[in-house]
């Protein structure tokens, strides 16, 4: 056997693996860069949640990707994309952007919402940050006032809710 044949076979195998890896990254909606964090439910790692003691905000984005010195949070949703991202999904993504800035001391320029069939890159602007803080304050006020009313009519959502045992408004 010619000595170059094993080298050529290894080179071809490496190219196939690079292609498959790139294709998998695209399917997952991840930007180019190094994945530095994954939610444990996705890969089985026990990553620590991001936490900001000033606001009490805690969260686990599905991925954090380091890209040219920036850290981009990525949130993956299992359903099909609406025409525009849902308000709750946008607020969740902005919370992850805020947490990245507080924990890693690097402000992300945007975050990514990945639905089954579409990806949205959403700029993390001062206006979004202000809206996040207003929402957190509104949530604090609701918690102080006692009962918070259920905000939906979806029985399946109630069935999966972590507060189901304590809720007197359950649908399931």
């Amino acid at each position: 056997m010619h000595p170059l044949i094993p080298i050529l076979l290894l080179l071809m195998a490496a190219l196939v693996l690079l292609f498959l890896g790139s294709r998998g990254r695209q399917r997952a909606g991840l930007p180019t860069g190094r994945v530095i964090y994954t939610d444990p439910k996705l890969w089985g790692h026990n990553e620590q949640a991001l936490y900001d003691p000033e606001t009490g905000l805690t969260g686990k984005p599905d991925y954090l990707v380091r890209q040219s010195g920036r850290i981009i949070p990525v949130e993956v949703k299992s359903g099909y994309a609406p025409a525009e991202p849902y308000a709750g999904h946008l607020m969740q993504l902005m919370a992850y952007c805020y947490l990245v800035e507080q924990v890693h001391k690097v402000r992300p320029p945007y975050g990514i919402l990945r639905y089954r069939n579409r990806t949205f890159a959403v700029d993390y602007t001062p206006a979004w940050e202000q809206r996040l803080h207003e929402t957190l304050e509104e949530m604090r006020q609701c918690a102080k006032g006692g009962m918070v009313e259920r905000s939906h009519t979806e029985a399946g959502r109630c069935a999966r809710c972590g507060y189901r045992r304590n809720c007197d408004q359950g649908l399931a």
Side-chain angles (χ1 to χ4, degrees), residues 99-116:
L99 287 168
V100 165
E101 182 176 16
Q102 298 309 303
V103 172
H104 294 280
K105 307 302 183 208
V106 177
R107 185 177 179 91
Y110 63 94
I112 294 175
L113 263 176
R114 171 69 182 153
Y115 292 91
R116 179 179 284 180

Side-chain angles (χ1 to χ4, degrees), residues 36 64-67 69-73 100 104 106-110:
I36 60 171
L64 292 180
V65 177
R66 186 179 304 277
Q67 180 184 68
R70 304 177 302 181
I71 298 176
I72 311 299
V100 165
H104 294 280
V106 177
R107 185 177 179 91
Y110 63 94

Side-chain angles (χ1 to χ4, degrees), residues 94-166:
M94 294 302 109
Y96 294 148
C97 287
Y98 175 80
L99 287 168
V100 165
E101 182 176 16
Q102 298 309 303
V103 172
H104 294 280
K105 307 302 183 208
V106 177
R107 185 177 179 91
Y110 63 94
I112 294 175
L113 263 176
R114 171 69 182 153
Y115 292 91
R116 179 179 284 180
N117 61 326
R118 189 170 174 196
T119 300
F120 295 91
V122 184
D123 290 339
Y124 180 50
T125 63
W128 266 116
E129 186 176 356
Q130 178 63 34
R131 189 169 167 194
L132 172 66
H133 286 289
E134 289 168 0
T135 301
L136 289 171
E137 183 55 34
E138 185 179 331
M139 290 169 68
R140 280 187 208 95
Q141 293 304 317
C142 285
K144 281 183 190 175
M147 187 63 182
V148 176
E149 298 293 319
R150 176 177 35 83
S151 65
H152 62 87
T153 58
E154 302 166 43
R157 189 171 172 189
C158 278
R160 295 184 306 272
C161 181
Y163 296 99
R164 187 175 71 193
R165 292 183 184 154
N166 302 337

